Amino acid sequence: MTGRRRLTSPRPYKLLTRTAAVGALLVTGCGVLPGASGNSREPLTVVTWAPGGATGPDTVNMAGMTAMARTYARWANSNGGLDGHKLRVVTCDEADTSAGAANCARLATKEKAVAVVGAYSRHGSSFMAPLEGARIPYIGGYGASDEEFTSYNSYPINGGQAALLAGNAQQLARSCERVSVVRPDTLGGDGQAWLLKTGLTEAGRPEPADIRAAETATSYDEAAGRALQAAGTNDGCVTAVLEDRTETFFDSFRRLEPSYGNVRISSVLGSVGQPLIDSTGGRNSPFEGAYLTGWYPDSGDARWDRMREVIRKHAFGDNRIDPDDTGVQTTWIAYTALNELVKSVDAPQITAGKLVSALNHGAPVDTGGLTPVLRWRYKDMLGSSAYPRIVNTRVTFQMVRHGRLVADKKGFVDVMETLSEASAKR
């Protein structure tokens, strides 16, 4: 992030030459859409991008997000489109590279997209500038890059990793006497530790033990040993935020744990989620009993029922779409937001400029309770130097019980004060 220390875990840009793979979806033929009042409503084009399964070291596969975007389009167009506008979704494989992200941003301009919606990329410095130049809004990204929370062109639906860490501190403060934080030994990791420290000390708990670990390690025995010792055996907790290496850390942790007694484990969604819990044994997973902080309601909540029905009827068995996956859920919410915005514009033609105007003037977005009602006026934003574009400072507390993520506390928890405090004192 320009002009400040990163508070999210950065990833090095990879100089790969893989070209972004592009797919477009236009469901239903020409003519009047079912439910439309006439032929005056023009189609609208949006772009969704995400890494589609690149095989490079430490690359991320979020193909479920582009698949969910296509599924949403099929469902929306079978029901008359968005406020009578046929929805055309163009997808792009971002390949988890800076070059791929830039290619996808250029594609959005070429396709005359009115928005980029529900996308994933860790390379905000590569994709945001081209979008800003073309004045194409970035609506409801996953929150994987710092630029999503600083660029005037971005309209986030969650508080990113910063909100998760602030929430994780509050969740742990309820029952943990001492906490060890295992995080990357990077500048971004320094920010993670600071957020957790701020949240814990605000709640009257001691400062956490800060355990630095290599991002690319294949074993974390040494870090696990130090974390367990620092947490102690009496109501101690160990939280790890190592993204895709979190599973590796807890493998090391479980091998050492018996010699230290019973210590509660914790993380945030994105580092641990239902798909990982399922793949590591479900009820017998090493994550059984863990505390987790998320952006949205747990995946068993009834507010996800419509999404699940849409997937069942319109995904045609696409096994890339896991309704329990946070990326898939983010894309669903982002397209729900787009639908609400298009309705608020209520015009024969939807342009990027009209969407930006609706966003900046505070058109309310109701996501069916999956987030608070969202608005992106200046007065709705957190406005701190570190996270100026955050409008949703609420998180959910969850835990793993019988192999499933369930609510640890009902409703949302607002972490605005912790985020503001951490930003002011950083």
Side-chain angles (χ1 to χ4, degrees), residues 58-125:
D58 298 320
T59 54
V60 173
N61 183 351
M62 301 296 285
M65 296 179 71
T66 49
M68 183 70 244
R70 292 176 174 229
T71 298
Y72 189 97
R74 282 190 285 266
W75 170 66
N77 288 335
S78 70
N79 288 280
L82 305 187
D83 196 33
H85 296 271
K86 192 180 299 182
L87 175 62
R88 179 174 180 260
V89 171
V90 177
T91 61
C92 183
D93 183 354
E94 179 261 10
D96 203 21
T97 67
S98 56
N103 287 340
C104 288
R106 286 191 287 269
L107 175 68
T109 302
K110 179 182 177 182
E111 294 288 340
K112 296 181 171 55
V114 300
V116 175
V117 183
Y120 180 104
S121 178
R122 298 187 289 194
H123 306 286
S125 60

Short mmCIF file of all heavy atoms in Angstrom, two decimals, residues 58-125:
data_model
loop_
_atom_site.label_atom_id
_atom_site.label_comp_id
_atom_site.label_asym_id
_atom_site.label_seq_id
_atom_site.Cartn_x
_atom_site.Cartn_y
_atom_site.Cartn_z
N ASP A 58 3.14 -22.04 -4.46
CA ASP A 58 2.36 -21.17 -3.58
C ASP A 58 1.27 -20.38 -4.31
O ASP A 58 0.79 -19.37 -3.80
CB ASP A 58 3.27 -20.19 -2.82
CG ASP A 58 4.25 -20.91 -1.92
OD1 ASP A 58 3.85 -21.90 -1.29
OD2 ASP A 58 5.43 -20.49 -1.86
N THR A 59 0.89 -20.79 -5.51
CA THR A 59 -0.21 -20.12 -6.19
C THR A 59 -1.54 -20.57 -5.59
O THR A 59 -1.65 -21.63 -5.00
CB THR A 59 -0.20 -20.40 -7.70
OG1 THR A 59 -0.17 -21.82 -7.91
CG2 THR A 59 0.99 -19.76 -8.36
N VAL A 60 -2.55 -19.74 -5.78
CA VAL A 60 -3.87 -19.96 -5.19
C VAL A 60 -4.84 -20.37 -6.28
O VAL A 60 -4.79 -19.86 -7.41
CB VAL A 60 -4.36 -18.67 -4.50
CG1 VAL A 60 -5.79 -18.81 -4.02
CG2 VAL A 60 -3.45 -18.31 -3.34
N ASN A 61 -5.73 -21.29 -5.98
CA ASN A 61 -6.80 -21.68 -6.91
C ASN A 61 -8.12 -21.20 -6.36
O ASN A 61 -8.60 -21.69 -5.34
CB ASN A 61 -6.81 -23.20 -7.08
CG ASN A 61 -7.84 -23.66 -8.11
OD1 ASN A 61 -8.66 -22.87 -8.59
ND2 ASN A 61 -7.81 -24.93 -8.45
N MET A 62 -8.73 -20.21 -7.02
CA MET A 62 -10.03 -19.68 -6.63
C MET A 62 -11.02 -19.78 -7.79
O MET A 62 -11.85 -18.90 -8.00
CB MET A 62 -9.88 -18.22 -6.17
CG MET A 62 -8.93 -18.03 -5.00
SD MET A 62 -9.48 -18.82 -3.47
CE MET A 62 -10.79 -17.71 -2.96
N ALA A 63 -10.91 -20.87 -8.55
CA ALA A 63 -11.75 -21.04 -9.74
C ALA A 63 -13.24 -21.06 -9.40
O ALA A 63 -14.07 -20.79 -10.27
CB ALA A 63 -11.37 -22.33 -10.46
N GLY A 64 -13.59 -21.39 -8.18
CA GLY A 64 -14.99 -21.38 -7.78
C GLY A 64 -15.64 -20.02 -7.91
O GLY A 64 -16.86 -19.92 -8.10
N MET A 65 -14.84 -18.96 -7.84
CA MET A 65 -15.41 -17.61 -7.92
C MET A 65 -15.87 -17.27 -9.33
O MET A 65 -16.98 -16.76 -9.53
CB MET A 65 -14.39 -16.59 -7.43
CG MET A 65 -14.04 -16.77 -5.95
SD MET A 65 -12.81 -15.61 -5.31
CE MET A 65 -13.75 -14.07 -5.30
N THR A 66 -15.07 -17.58 -10.34
CA THR A 66 -15.51 -17.32 -11.71
C THR A 66 -16.65 -18.27 -12.09
O THR A 66 -17.58 -17.88 -12.81
CB THR A 66 -14.34 -17.48 -12.70
OG1 THR A 66 -13.66 -18.72 -12.45
CG2 THR A 66 -13.36 -16.33 -12.55
N ALA A 67 -16.60 -19.50 -11.59
CA ALA A 67 -17.70 -20.43 -11.86
C ALA A 67 -19.00 -19.94 -11.21
O ALA A 67 -20.09 -20.07 -11.79
CB ALA A 67 -17.34 -21.82 -11.35
N MET A 68 -18.90 -19.38 -10.02
CA MET A 68 -20.09 -18.84 -9.35
C MET A 68 -20.64 -17.65 -10.12
O MET A 68 -21.87 -17.47 -10.23
CB MET A 68 -19.73 -18.41 -7.93
CG MET A 68 -20.90 -17.90 -7.09
SD MET A 68 -22.08 -19.20 -6.64
CE MET A 68 -23.56 -18.64 -7.48
N ALA A 69 -19.78 -16.82 -10.69
CA ALA A 69 -20.23 -15.68 -11.48
C ALA A 69 -21.04 -16.14 -12.69
O ALA A 69 -22.10 -15.57 -13.01
CB ALA A 69 -19.03 -14.85 -11.93
N ARG A 70 -20.58 -17.17 -13.36
CA ARG A 70 -21.31 -17.69 -14.52
C ARG A 70 -22.65 -18.28 -14.08
O ARG A 70 -23.68 -18.12 -14.77
CB ARG A 70 -20.48 -18.76 -15.22
CG ARG A 70 -19.24 -18.21 -15.90
CD ARG A 70 -18.40 -19.34 -16.50
NE ARG A 70 -17.29 -18.78 -17.27
CZ ARG A 70 -16.98 -19.15 -18.50
NH1 ARG A 70 -17.71 -20.06 -19.13
NH2 ARG A 70 -15.96 -18.62 -19.13
N THR A 71 -22.63 -18.97 -12.96
CA THR A 71 -23.87 -19.56 -12.46
C THR A 71 -24.88 -18.47 -12.10
O THR A 71 -26.08 -18.60 -12.40
CB THR A 71 -23.56 -20.42 -11.21
OG1 THR A 71 -22.69 -21.48 -11.60
CG2 THR A 71 -24.82 -21.01 -10.61
N TYR A 72 -24.41 -17.40 -11.48
CA TYR A 72 -25.30 -16.29 -11.16
C TYR A 72 -25.93 -15.72 -12.42
O TYR A 72 -27.13 -15.40 -12.45
CB TYR A 72 -24.55 -15.20 -10.40
CG TYR A 72 -25.45 -14.13 -9.84
CD1 TYR A 72 -25.88 -14.17 -8.52
CD2 TYR A 72 -25.91 -13.08 -10.64
CE1 TYR A 72 -26.73 -13.20 -8.00
CE2 TYR A 72 -26.76 -12.11 -10.15
CZ TYR A 72 -27.17 -12.17 -8.83
OH TYR A 72 -28.04 -11.21 -8.33
N ALA A 73 -25.13 -15.58 -13.47
CA ALA A 73 -25.66 -15.03 -14.72
C ALA A 73 -26.75 -15.92 -15.31
O ALA A 73 -27.78 -15.42 -15.79
CB ALA A 73 -24.52 -14.85 -15.74
N ARG A 74 -26.54 -17.23 -15.28
CA ARG A 74 -27.57 -18.13 -15.80
C ARG A 74 -28.87 -17.97 -15.02
O ARG A 74 -29.96 -17.94 -15.59
CB ARG A 74 -27.08 -19.58 -15.74
CG ARG A 74 -26.11 -19.96 -16.84
CD ARG A 74 -25.86 -21.46 -16.87
NE ARG A 74 -24.99 -21.89 -15.78
CZ ARG A 74 -23.67 -22.02 -15.89
NH1 ARG A 74 -23.07 -21.72 -17.04
NH2 ARG A 74 -22.94 -22.41 -14.87
N TRP A 75 -28.73 -17.90 -13.70
CA TRP A 75 -29.92 -17.74 -12.86
C TRP A 75 -30.60 -16.40 -13.10
O TRP A 75 -31.82 -16.33 -13.28
CB TRP A 75 -29.52 -17.88 -11.39
CG TRP A 75 -30.62 -17.50 -10.44
CD1 TRP A 75 -31.80 -18.14 -10.25
CD2 TRP A 75 -30.62 -16.38 -9.55
NE1 TRP A 75 -32.54 -17.49 -9.29
CE2 TRP A 75 -31.84 -16.41 -8.83
CE3 TRP A 75 -29.70 -15.37 -9.27
CZ2 TRP A 75 -32.17 -15.46 -7.87
CZ3 TRP A 75 -30.02 -14.42 -8.30
CH2 TRP A 75 -31.24 -14.48 -7.62
N ALA A 76 -29.81 -15.32 -13.10
CA ALA A 76 -30.38 -13.99 -13.26
C ALA A 76 -31.09 -13.85 -14.60
O ALA A 76 -32.22 -13.34 -14.69
CB ALA A 76 -29.28 -12.93 -13.13
N ASN A 77 -30.46 -14.32 -15.67
CA ASN A 77 -31.05 -14.17 -16.99
C ASN A 77 -32.28 -15.05 -17.18
O ASN A 77 -33.18 -14.71 -17.94
CB ASN A 77 -30.01 -14.47 -18.07
CG ASN A 77 -28.96 -13.37 -18.17
OD1 ASN A 77 -29.22 -12.23 -17.81
ND2 ASN A 77 -27.78 -13.72 -18.62
N SER A 78 -32.34 -16.18 -16.48
CA SER A 78 -33.54 -17.01 -16.54
C SER A 78 -34.72 -16.36 -15.81
O SER A 78 -35.86 -16.79 -15.98
CB SER A 78 -33.27 -18.40 -15.95
OG SER A 78 -33.11 -18.33 -14.55
N ASN A 79 -34.42 -15.33 -15.05
CA ASN A 79 -35.46 -14.61 -14.31
C ASN A 79 -35.58 -13.15 -14.75
O ASN A 79 -36.01 -12.30 -13.98
CB ASN A 79 -35.17 -14.67 -12.81
CG ASN A 79 -35.41 -16.05 -12.23
OD1 ASN A 79 -36.54 -16.44 -11.95
ND2 ASN A 79 -34.34 -16.83 -12.06
N GLY A 80 -35.20 -12.87 -16.00
CA GLY A 80 -35.40 -11.53 -16.53
C GLY A 80 -34.21 -10.61 -16.43
O GLY A 80 -34.32 -9.42 -16.72
N GLY A 81 -33.06 -11.11 -16.01
CA GLY A 81 -31.86 -10.28 -15.93
C GLY A 81 -31.85 -9.41 -14.69
O GLY A 81 -32.61 -9.62 -13.73
N LEU A 82 -30.98 -8.42 -14.68
CA LEU A 82 -30.89 -7.47 -13.57
C LEU A 82 -31.74 -6.25 -13.91
O LEU A 82 -31.39 -5.47 -14.79
CB LEU A 82 -29.44 -7.05 -13.33
CG LEU A 82 -28.41 -8.16 -13.09
CD1 LEU A 82 -27.07 -7.56 -12.70
CD2 LEU A 82 -28.89 -9.15 -12.05
N ASP A 83 -32.88 -6.15 -13.25
CA ASP A 83 -33.82 -5.05 -13.53
C ASP A 83 -34.13 -4.97 -15.02
O ASP A 83 -34.24 -3.88 -15.59
CB ASP A 83 -33.24 -3.73 -13.02
CG ASP A 83 -34.30 -2.64 -12.91
OD1 ASP A 83 -35.46 -2.97 -12.59
OD2 ASP A 83 -33.96 -1.46 -13.14
N GLY A 84 -34.26 -6.13 -15.66
CA GLY A 84 -34.58 -6.17 -17.08
C GLY A 84 -33.39 -6.13 -18.00
O GLY A 84 -33.55 -6.24 -19.23
N HIS A 85 -32.17 -5.99 -17.47
CA HIS A 85 -30.96 -5.96 -18.29
C HIS A 85 -30.36 -7.36 -18.37
O HIS A 85 -30.07 -7.96 -17.34
CB HIS A 85 -29.92 -5.01 -17.70
CG HIS A 85 -30.34 -3.58 -17.66
ND1 HIS A 85 -30.12 -2.71 -18.71
CD2 HIS A 85 -30.99 -2.88 -16.68
CE1 HIS A 85 -30.59 -1.51 -18.38
NE2 HIS A 85 -31.13 -1.60 -17.16
N LYS A 86 -30.15 -7.85 -19.57
CA LYS A 86 -29.46 -9.12 -19.74
C LYS A 86 -28.05 -8.99 -19.19
O LYS A 86 -27.34 -8.02 -19.46
CB LYS A 86 -29.43 -9.49 -21.23
CG LYS A 86 -29.00 -10.92 -21.52
CD LYS A 86 -29.00 -11.17 -23.03
CE LYS A 86 -30.39 -10.97 -23.61
NZ LYS A 86 -30.38 -11.27 -25.08
N LEU A 87 -27.62 -9.95 -18.40
CA LEU A 87 -26.30 -9.90 -17.76
C LEU A 87 -25.30 -10.73 -18.55
O LEU A 87 -25.49 -11.93 -18.73
CB LEU A 87 -26.40 -10.42 -16.31
CG LEU A 87 -25.08 -10.54 -15.54
CD1 LEU A 87 -24.40 -9.18 -15.38
CD2 LEU A 87 -25.32 -11.18 -14.16
N ARG A 88 -24.26 -10.10 -18.98
CA ARG A 88 -23.17 -10.77 -19.68
C ARG A 88 -21.95 -10.80 -18.76
O ARG A 88 -21.44 -9.74 -18.37
CB ARG A 88 -22.84 -10.06 -20.98
CG ARG A 88 -21.69 -10.68 -21.77
CD ARG A 88 -21.53 -10.00 -23.13
NE ARG A 88 -20.44 -10.57 -23.90
CZ ARG A 88 -19.23 -10.05 -24.00
NH1 ARG A 88 -18.94 -8.92 -23.37
NH2 ARG A 88 -18.30 -10.62 -24.73
N VAL A 89 -21.50 -11.99 -18.41
CA VAL A 89 -20.36 -12.15 -17.51
C VAL A 89 -19.15 -12.64 -18.32
O VAL A 89 -19.21 -13.69 -18.96
CB VAL A 89 -20.67 -13.14 -16.38
CG1 VAL A 89 -19.40 -13.47 -15.59
CG2 VAL A 89 -21.72 -12.56 -15.43
N VAL A 90 -18.07 -11.89 -18.27
CA VAL A 90 -16.81 -12.29 -18.87
C VAL A 90 -15.89 -12.71 -17.73
O VAL A 90 -15.73 -11.99 -16.74
CB VAL A 90 -16.17 -11.14 -19.66
CG1 VAL A 90 -14.81 -11.56 -20.22
CG2 VAL A 90 -17.09 -10.69 -20.79
N THR A 91 -15.30 -13.90 -17.84
CA THR A 91 -14.39 -14.36 -16.78
C THR A 91 -12.96 -14.40 -17.30
O THR A 91 -12.72 -14.55 -18.49
CB THR A 91 -14.80 -15.76 -16.27
OG1 THR A 91 -14.73 -16.70 -17.34
CG2 THR A 91 -16.21 -15.74 -15.70
N CYS A 92 -12.02 -14.29 -16.37
CA CYS A 92 -10.61 -14.22 -16.73
C CYS A 92 -9.79 -14.97 -15.69
O CYS A 92 -9.99 -14.79 -14.48
CB CYS A 92 -10.17 -12.76 -16.80
SG CYS A 92 -8.46 -12.49 -17.34
N ASP A 93 -8.87 -15.82 -16.15
CA ASP A 93 -7.95 -16.51 -15.26
C ASP A 93 -6.79 -15.58 -14.95
O ASP A 93 -5.92 -15.34 -15.79
CB ASP A 93 -7.45 -17.80 -15.91
CG ASP A 93 -6.54 -18.61 -14.99
OD1 ASP A 93 -6.22 -18.11 -13.89
OD2 ASP A 93 -6.16 -19.74 -15.37
N GLU A 94 -6.76 -15.08 -13.74
CA GLU A 94 -5.75 -14.12 -13.31
C GLU A 94 -4.40 -14.79 -13.06
O GLU A 94 -3.37 -14.11 -12.99
CB GLU A 94 -6.30 -13.39 -12.08
CG GLU A 94 -5.43 -12.36 -11.45
CD GLU A 94 -4.70 -12.91 -10.23
OE1 GLU A 94 -4.74 -14.15 -10.00
OE2 GLU A 94 -4.08 -12.11 -9.52
N ALA A 95 -4.41 -16.13 -12.92
CA ALA A 95 -3.20 -16.95 -12.82
C ALA A 95 -2.34 -16.65 -11.59
O ALA A 95 -1.23 -17.15 -11.48
CB ALA A 95 -2.35 -16.83 -14.08
N ASP A 96 -2.85 -15.84 -10.67
CA ASP A 96 -2.13 -15.48 -9.44
C ASP A 96 -0.77 -14.86 -9.75
O ASP A 96 0.23 -15.13 -9.08
CB ASP A 96 -1.97 -16.70 -8.54
CG ASP A 96 -1.75 -16.31 -7.08
OD1 ASP A 96 -2.10 -15.17 -6.72
OD2 ASP A 96 -1.23 -17.14 -6.31
N THR A 97 -0.74 -14.02 -10.79
CA THR A 97 0.48 -13.30 -11.15
C THR A 97 0.14 -11.84 -11.41
O THR A 97 -1.00 -11.49 -11.75
CB THR A 97 1.13 -13.87 -12.43
OG1 THR A 97 0.27 -13.61 -13.55
CG2 THR A 97 1.38 -15.37 -12.31
N SER A 98 1.13 -10.97 -11.27
CA SER A 98 0.91 -9.56 -11.55
C SER A 98 0.59 -9.34 -13.03
O SER A 98 -0.27 -8.51 -13.38
CB SER A 98 2.13 -8.74 -11.14
OG SER A 98 3.30 -9.21 -11.79
N ALA A 99 1.25 -10.09 -13.91
CA ALA A 99 0.96 -9.97 -15.34
C ALA A 99 -0.46 -10.42 -15.65
O ALA A 99 -1.17 -9.79 -16.45
CB ALA A 99 1.96 -10.78 -16.15
N GLY A 100 -0.88 -11.51 -15.02
CA GLY A 100 -2.24 -11.99 -15.24
C GLY A 100 -3.27 -11.00 -14.76
O GLY A 100 -4.31 -10.77 -15.41
N ALA A 101 -3.03 -10.37 -13.61
CA ALA A 101 -3.96 -9.38 -13.08
C ALA A 101 -4.07 -8.18 -14.02
O ALA A 101 -5.17 -7.68 -14.29
CB ALA A 101 -3.51 -8.93 -11.70
N ALA A 102 -2.95 -7.73 -14.54
CA ALA A 102 -2.96 -6.60 -15.47
C ALA A 102 -3.70 -6.96 -16.76
O ALA A 102 -4.45 -6.16 -17.32
CB ALA A 102 -1.53 -6.17 -15.78
N ASN A 103 -3.48 -8.19 -17.26
CA ASN A 103 -4.18 -8.64 -18.46
C ASN A 103 -5.69 -8.65 -18.25
O ASN A 103 -6.46 -8.27 -19.14
CB ASN A 103 -3.70 -10.03 -18.86
CG ASN A 103 -2.31 -10.04 -19.45
OD1 ASN A 103 -1.82 -9.00 -19.92
ND2 ASN A 103 -1.64 -11.18 -19.43
N CYS A 104 -6.12 -9.12 -17.09
CA CYS A 104 -7.56 -9.18 -16.82
C CYS A 104 -8.15 -7.77 -16.73
O CYS A 104 -9.29 -7.54 -17.18
CB CYS A 104 -7.82 -9.95 -15.53
SG CYS A 104 -7.55 -11.73 -15.66
N ALA A 105 -7.40 -6.84 -16.15
CA ALA A 105 -7.89 -5.46 -16.08
C ALA A 105 -8.03 -4.86 -17.47
O ALA A 105 -8.99 -4.14 -17.78
CB ALA A 105 -6.95 -4.63 -15.22
N ARG A 106 -7.05 -5.14 -18.34
CA ARG A 106 -7.14 -4.64 -19.72
C ARG A 106 -8.32 -5.28 -20.45
O ARG A 106 -8.97 -4.64 -21.28
CB ARG A 106 -5.83 -4.90 -20.46
CG ARG A 106 -4.70 -3.97 -20.03
CD ARG A 106 -3.51 -4.07 -20.96
NE ARG A 106 -2.78 -5.32 -20.77
CZ ARG A 106 -1.76 -5.47 -19.92
NH1 ARG A 106 -1.36 -4.44 -19.18
NH2 ARG A 106 -1.14 -6.62 -19.81
N LEU A 107 -8.60 -6.54 -20.13
CA LEU A 107 -9.74 -7.21 -20.74
C LEU A 107 -11.04 -6.51 -20.36
O LEU A 107 -11.95 -6.36 -21.19
CB LEU A 107 -9.79 -8.67 -20.30
CG LEU A 107 -11.01 -9.47 -20.77
CD1 LEU A 107 -10.97 -9.66 -22.28
CD2 LEU A 107 -11.06 -10.82 -20.07
N ALA A 108 -11.14 -6.07 -19.12
CA ALA A 108 -12.35 -5.36 -18.69
C ALA A 108 -12.58 -4.11 -19.52
O ALA A 108 -13.72 -3.79 -19.90
CB ALA A 108 -12.25 -5.01 -17.20
N THR A 109 -11.50 -3.41 -19.83
CA THR A 109 -11.62 -2.22 -20.68
C THR A 109 -12.02 -2.61 -22.10
O THR A 109 -12.91 -1.99 -22.71
CB THR A 109 -10.28 -1.46 -20.70
OG1 THR A 109 -9.93 -1.09 -19.38
CG2 THR A 109 -10.39 -0.23 -21.57
N LYS A 110 -11.37 -3.63 -22.64
CA LYS A 110 -11.67 -4.08 -24.00
C LYS A 110 -13.13 -4.51 -24.15
O LYS A 110 -13.77 -4.24 -25.18
CB LYS A 110 -10.74 -5.24 -24.37
CG LYS A 110 -10.97 -5.82 -25.75
CD LYS A 110 -10.03 -6.99 -26.01
CE LYS A 110 -10.31 -7.63 -27.37
NZ LYS A 110 -9.42 -8.80 -27.61
N GLU A 111 -13.65 -5.18 -23.13
CA GLU A 111 -15.03 -5.68 -23.19
C GLU A 111 -16.06 -4.62 -22.83
O GLU A 111 -17.26 -4.90 -22.79
CB GLU A 111 -15.18 -6.88 -22.25
CG GLU A 111 -14.38 -8.10 -22.64
CD GLU A 111 -14.96 -8.79 -23.87
OE1 GLU A 111 -16.15 -8.58 -24.18
OE2 GLU A 111 -14.21 -9.56 -24.52
N LYS A 112 -15.59 -3.39 -22.53
CA LYS A 112 -16.48 -2.29 -22.14
C LYS A 112 -17.33 -2.66 -20.92
O LYS A 112 -18.53 -2.40 -20.87
CB LYS A 112 -17.37 -1.85 -23.30
CG LYS A 112 -16.59 -1.28 -24.49
CD LYS A 112 -17.51 -0.84 -25.61
CE LYS A 112 -16.77 -0.08 -26.70
NZ LYS A 112 -15.62 -0.80 -27.27
N ALA A 113 -16.67 -3.28 -19.96
CA ALA A 113 -17.37 -3.70 -18.74
C ALA A 113 -17.80 -2.48 -17.93
O ALA A 113 -17.09 -1.47 -17.85
CB ALA A 113 -16.45 -4.58 -17.89
N VAL A 114 -18.96 -2.59 -17.31
CA VAL A 114 -19.43 -1.51 -16.44
C VAL A 114 -18.91 -1.69 -15.02
O VAL A 114 -18.99 -0.76 -14.21
CB VAL A 114 -20.97 -1.44 -16.42
CG1 VAL A 114 -21.50 -1.17 -17.83
CG2 VAL A 114 -21.60 -2.70 -15.85
N ALA A 115 -18.36 -2.87 -14.71
CA ALA A 115 -17.79 -3.11 -13.38
C ALA A 115 -17.01 -4.42 -13.39
O ALA A 115 -17.24 -5.29 -14.22
CB ALA A 115 -18.89 -3.19 -12.32
N VAL A 116 -16.06 -4.53 -12.47
CA VAL A 116 -15.46 -5.81 -12.12
C VAL A 116 -16.13 -6.22 -10.81
O VAL A 116 -16.18 -5.45 -9.85
CB VAL A 116 -13.94 -5.70 -11.94
CG1 VAL A 116 -13.35 -7.01 -11.44
CG2 VAL A 116 -13.29 -5.29 -13.26
N VAL A 117 -16.65 -7.45 -10.77
CA VAL A 117 -17.52 -7.85 -9.65
C VAL A 117 -17.05 -9.18 -9.06
O VAL A 117 -16.80 -10.14 -9.80
CB VAL A 117 -18.98 -7.99 -10.14
CG1 VAL A 117 -19.91 -8.35 -8.97
CG2 VAL A 117 -19.45 -6.71 -10.81
N GLY A 118 -16.94 -9.23 -7.74
CA GLY A 118 -16.70 -10.50 -7.04
C GLY A 118 -15.42 -11.20 -7.45
O GLY A 118 -15.40 -12.42 -7.57
N ALA A 119 -14.35 -10.46 -7.65
CA ALA A 119 -13.10 -11.01 -8.18
C ALA A 119 -12.08 -11.25 -7.06
O ALA A 119 -12.24 -10.80 -5.92
CB ALA A 119 -12.51 -10.07 -9.22
N TYR A 120 -11.00 -11.96 -7.41
CA TYR A 120 -9.91 -12.25 -6.48
C TYR A 120 -8.58 -11.96 -7.16
O TYR A 120 -8.32 -12.44 -8.26
CB TYR A 120 -9.94 -13.72 -6.05
CG TYR A 120 -8.83 -14.10 -5.07
CD1 TYR A 120 -9.11 -14.27 -3.72
CD2 TYR A 120 -7.52 -14.29 -5.50
CE1 TYR A 120 -8.11 -14.61 -2.81
CE2 TYR A 120 -6.51 -14.63 -4.60
CZ TYR A 120 -6.80 -14.79 -3.26
OH TYR A 120 -5.81 -15.12 -2.38
N SER A 121 -7.73 -11.19 -6.48
CA SER A 121 -6.35 -11.03 -6.90
C SER A 121 -5.54 -10.48 -5.74
O SER A 121 -6.02 -9.62 -5.00
CB SER A 121 -6.23 -10.08 -8.09
OG SER A 121 -4.85 -9.90 -8.45
N ARG A 122 -4.33 -10.98 -5.61
CA ARG A 122 -3.40 -10.44 -4.61
C ARG A 122 -2.54 -9.33 -5.19
O ARG A 122 -1.68 -8.79 -4.49
CB ARG A 122 -2.51 -11.57 -4.07
CG ARG A 122 -3.30 -12.65 -3.38
CD ARG A 122 -2.42 -13.67 -2.70
NE ARG A 122 -1.70 -14.53 -3.62
CZ ARG A 122 -1.09 -15.66 -3.25
NH1 ARG A 122 -1.12 -16.03 -1.98
NH2 ARG A 122 -0.46 -16.40 -4.12
N HIS A 123 -2.77 -8.97 -6.45
CA HIS A 123 -1.88 -8.06 -7.17
C HIS A 123 -2.60 -6.75 -7.48
O HIS A 123 -2.73 -6.34 -8.64
CB HIS A 123 -1.36 -8.73 -8.44
CG HIS A 123 -0.70 -10.05 -8.17
ND1 HIS A 123 0.54 -10.14 -7.60
CD2 HIS A 123 -1.14 -11.32 -8.34
CE1 HIS A 123 0.87 -11.42 -7.45
NE2 HIS A 123 -0.14 -12.16 -7.89
N GLY A 124 -3.04 -6.07 -6.43
CA GLY A 124 -3.81 -4.84 -6.60
C GLY A 124 -3.05 -3.75 -7.32
O GLY A 124 -3.64 -2.96 -8.06
N SER A 125 -1.74 -3.68 -7.13
CA SER A 125 -0.97 -2.64 -7.80
C SER A 125 -0.95 -2.84 -9.31
O SER A 125 -0.68 -1.89 -10.05
CB SER A 125 0.46 -2.61 -7.26
OG SER A 125 1.10 -3.86 -7.47
#
